[in-house]
């Protein structure tokens, strides 16, 4: 099982960006998908997560600005980021709690995509 994140880039404060995460491989079922971020010198933190049933959790710092969604058919998750701030600058990682076809349940991480917000 692999997760591939994409969509990062350089934007100005106030602009928007959409991240995508696609899971591939021997997937039976994806439970929770989420986005985490790690800024320089800081610990990795949860940004948003979404369950298979559509329940979402957001970090207080992104509530009202970011929206997480997923497509079960595409084994994908998305993070729509609006009104970006310089403090949103970080490497964003997608995460999936996945049941594989072999019966294993594990936590998988994508490779990270850099989001840079300039003032």
């Amino acid at each position: 099982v692999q997760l591939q994140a994409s969509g990062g880039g350089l934007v100005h404060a106030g602009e928007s960006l959409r991240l995508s995460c696609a899971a591939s491989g021997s997937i039976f079922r994806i439970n929770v998908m989420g986005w985490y971020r790690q800024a320089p010198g800081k610990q990795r933190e949860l940004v948003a997560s979404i369950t298979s049933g559509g329940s979402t959790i957001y970090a207080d710092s992104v509530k009202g600005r970011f929206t997480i969604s997923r497509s079960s058919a595409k084994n994908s998750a998305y993070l729509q980021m609006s009104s970006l701030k310089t403090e949103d600058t970080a490497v964003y990682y997608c995460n999936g709690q996945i049941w594989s076809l072999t019966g294993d349940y594990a936590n998988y991480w994508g490779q990270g995509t850099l989001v840079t917000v300039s003032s």
Side-chain angles (χ1 to χ4, degrees), residues 73-96:
K74 296 181 179 180
N75 287 333
S76 295
Y78 310 95
L79 186 67
Q80 178 66 46
M81 305 184 292
S82 303
S83 302
L84 282 161
K85 304 176 180 180
T86 56
E87 51 263 43
D88 294 319
T89 294
V91 177
Y92 284 71
Y93 298 90
C94 66
N95 172 271

Side-chain angles (χ1 to χ4, degrees), residues 39-108:
K42 295 187 177 181
Q43 290 188 333
R44 189 174 298 188
E45 63 175 357
L46 173 68
V47 176
S49 66
I50 183 168
T51 68
S52 57
S55 297
T56 57
I57 294 175
Y58 292 94
D60 287 343
S61 59
V62 307
K63 283 181 181 176
R65 300 189 298 121
F66 290 10
T67 301
I68 189 170
S69 61
R70 64 186 285 176
S71 167
S72 296
K74 296 181 179 180
N75 287 333
S76 295
Y78 310 95
L79 186 67
Q80 178 66 46
M81 305 184 292
S82 303
S83 302
L84 282 161
K85 304 176 180 180
T86 56
E87 51 263 43
D88 294 319
T89 294
V91 177
Y92 284 71
Y93 298 90
C94 66
N95 172 271
Q97 297 174 19
I98 299 172
W99 285 101
S100 72
L101 292 174
T102 59
D104 298 318
Y105 184 69
N107 203 27
Y108 294 91

Side-chain angles (χ1 to χ4, degrees), residues 107-119:
N107 203 27
Y108 294 91
W109 292 92
Q111 84 284 9
T113 185
L114 177 62
V115 173
T116 303
V117 184
S118 64
S119 59

